Every structure is written in C-alpha cells, then in structure tokens.
Amino acid sequence: MVEPWLRGTLTEEDAVLRGVLHALELAREDVARWCSEFTEEQLEARPFGLPSVGFQMRHIARSLDRLLTYAEGGRLSEGQLEALKNEMKPSGSREAVFGEFEDGIDSATRRIKAMPPGSYDKTRWVGRGELPSSVGGLLVHCADHAQRHVGQLVTTAKVVVQLRGAGDDSRRRRRADERGSANPLGVEDGRSEGAKP
C-alpha cells in the first residue's frame, strides 16, 4: 500500500503541516496493521523486558498532547504530568488502549491543522528546564517522535506474534511426542530429565 505522504492528500496544508499530518496517518495505519487483532494480554506483554505495545500507544498519544501544548505556548498541567508517570501502567482493557490512541491522533490532527504557518519560527520553551525550541521544531518532533515509537511498537508486536507462534509450535510438538510410543529426548511434562521443577 502507498504511504500517506505519496497519496497526494492534504494539499490544502502547507508542506510542514502536511508532512506532520502524514506521519500521524502512517502511525495510525501501522498500529492498525500490526495490532488490530491483539488481545489486551498481547497489547500489555513485555517480551524480553521490551516496553509493551500498549505503552507505545499510550506514549504516542500522550507525548503528542505534551508536545503540542508546548507548541501552543502552554505549560503542562498536573493531569498531563500524572499521565506521563503512568504510561507504563496497563489501561485496563483493549478498548481503552485503542480508544486513547485514536483520540490522541484525532486531537493532535485538529491541533496541528490549527497552527498558523507564520508561527513556525516562534520560540517555545520545553520542559521544566525550559529548553529552547520553536513551533516548527515541535511540530517536526511530533512526526519524528511518533514514528520512532511506532517503529518500536512494530518490533515488539512482531516479537509477541513470534513468541505466540513458538508457544503453539512447542505445544504441538509436545502433543506429538505424547502420542508417540517412545520419548527419545526424555521430555516429561515439558521438562527434560534432570531439569529442576
């Protein structure tokens, strides 16, 4: 499928806004492609200690909110800071994870479209340290940051899928062994001889 930036869409927006909006469209499509059939357990799984897919979805939505607050000249609220602290915590349901992600992309899209093109060079201050940036810098970072975390999400999603498949293969092999008359590997109840329970 052709990526959003090659579809000739959003031509009413200037090149900066169009690029950022296309990056968010691609983020939405990649999440749908890789995770739409995931269960809550799969969304919150942390294979090999990787951040979960659910974390990445929450982080994308919430970081867009924070970055756009700075781009609009605002400061983060207590609610935004509290949400930041809780990004690793599971959302409670599959619907909550997807709902927050979709709402976050929709809200970011509206806010980005409202940015006046002549404001890109305006200075903005980021974080408690009030580090210097600009409206344009923050907008471009919205695209960069979302895509970075979608890449991590896709990698984790692939691992989750592979591990699920490996688990299925392992169970199939065990059942085949149990049906056989001999057990040449000494596998019993999923453990080899001499393995500690």
Side-chain angles (χ1 to χ4, degrees):
M1 175 177 238
V2 175
E3 292 185 353
W5 65 281
L6 293 170
R7 294 178 193 159
T9 59
L10 300 171
T11 54
E12 69 280 5
E13 305 294 348
D14 69 72
V16 173
L17 295 185
R18 186 167 52 248
V20 176
L21 294 168
H22 281 151
L24 297 187
E25 281 183 34
L26 183 58
R28 185 185 302 233
E29 291 174 11
D30 283 342
V31 166
R33 176 179 176 207
W34 290 99
C35 307
S36 64
E37 296 183 19
F38 271 25
T39 64
E40 180 185 355
E41 180 183 356
Q42 291 170 316
L43 288 170
E44 301 298 349
R46 297 198 57 200
F48 307 108
L50 292 169
S52 70
V53 167
F55 160 78
Q56 300 294 356
M57 292 171 70
R58 286 185 292 275
H59 182 69
I60 291 166
R62 295 176 191 182
S63 63
L64 285 168
D65 178 46
R66 292 189 295 270
L67 291 168
L68 290 169
T69 296
Y70 291 131
E72 294 161 345
R75 298 179 79 93
L76 299 187
S77 69
E78 288 302 317
Q80 287 170 309
L81 293 171
E82 190 63 29
L84 171 61
K85 291 179 192 173
N86 294 316
E87 286 179 351
M88 291 297 282
K89 291 183 181 176
S91 297
S93 74
R94 180 184 185 287
E95 292 72 23
V97 176
F98 280 97
E100 181 176 359
F101 178 77
E102 289 293 330
D103 290 348
I105 297 290
D106 288 344
S107 174
T109 297
R110 284 190 301 274
R111 292 166 75 182
I112 289 164
K113 286 182 174 185
M115 294 283 172
S119 67
Y120 298 156
D121 289 329
K122 288 186 178 178
T123 301
R124 293 293 187 254
W125 305 101
V126 178
R128 291 183 179 146
E130 296 191 348
L131 301 172
S133 188
S134 65
V135 171
L138 282 155
L139 289 172
V140 169
H141 189 62
C142 284
D144 293 343
H145 192 81
Q147 285 300 306
R148 179 184 317 142
H149 284 278
V150 167
Q152 293 176 26
L153 176 150
V154 169
T155 299
T156 301
K158 287 179 178 182
V159 173
V160 168
V161 167
Q162 279 301 116
L163 289 176
R164 180 182 62 202
D168 291 345
D169 289 345
S170 175
R171 283 188 290 281
R172 279 194 293 274
R173 282 193 301 273
R174 191 176 315 125
R175 283 193 299 271
D177 286 346
E178 290 167 356
R179 284 192 302 267
S181 60
N183 191 346
L185 297 178
V187 176
E188 190 173 308
D189 293 332
R191 295 190 302 266
S192 63
E193 290 178 13
K196 295 183 180 180

